[in-house]
Amino acid sequence: MERHQISGNIAAELREIDVLLTDMSGYEQASRWTRDALAGDAEWSRARLLARQVLTELTGAWEHPLPPVHAIR
């Protein structure tokens, strides 16, 4: 933002994503990081929506398919 590469709106959305992921982190939140939770948890849906909004603002349109999600064990 300081270099005028992203707007204040994008910075706010990135901060919101950061807060969501921070709130879902830690041992007590481990169940939110399962394959089922990644697909169905409301907070993950919110994080994806915010990320899509950021990408749309940066690229001008949402025409890119999401990459496949792979679980690393």
Side-chain angles (χ1 to χ4, degrees):
M1 202 164 102
E2 293 169 0
R3 295 181 183 174
H4 305 288
Q5 294 176 339
I6 62 172
S7 70
N9 189 44
I10 290 174
E13 290 171 337
L14 291 172
R15 280 191 293 275
E16 190 171 347
I17 293 168
D18 186 52
V19 168
L20 282 170
L21 295 176
T22 298
D23 289 348
M24 292 192 299
S25 296
Y27 181 76
E28 62 280 351
Q29 298 293 328
S31 64
R32 293 187 118 160
W33 293 82
T34 65
R35 191 176 295 200
D36 288 339
L38 286 170
D41 186 280
E43 293 302 303
W44 279 113
S45 294
R46 178 77 180 137
R48 284 190 290 275
L49 175 66
L50 288 166
R52 189 174 295 118
Q53 288 172 334
V54 167
L55 289 172
T56 299
E57 289 181 45
L58 289 173
T59 63
W62 180 256
E63 299 175 7
H64 311 285
L66 291 174
V69 175
H70 300 281
I72 299 172
R73 296 178 185 209

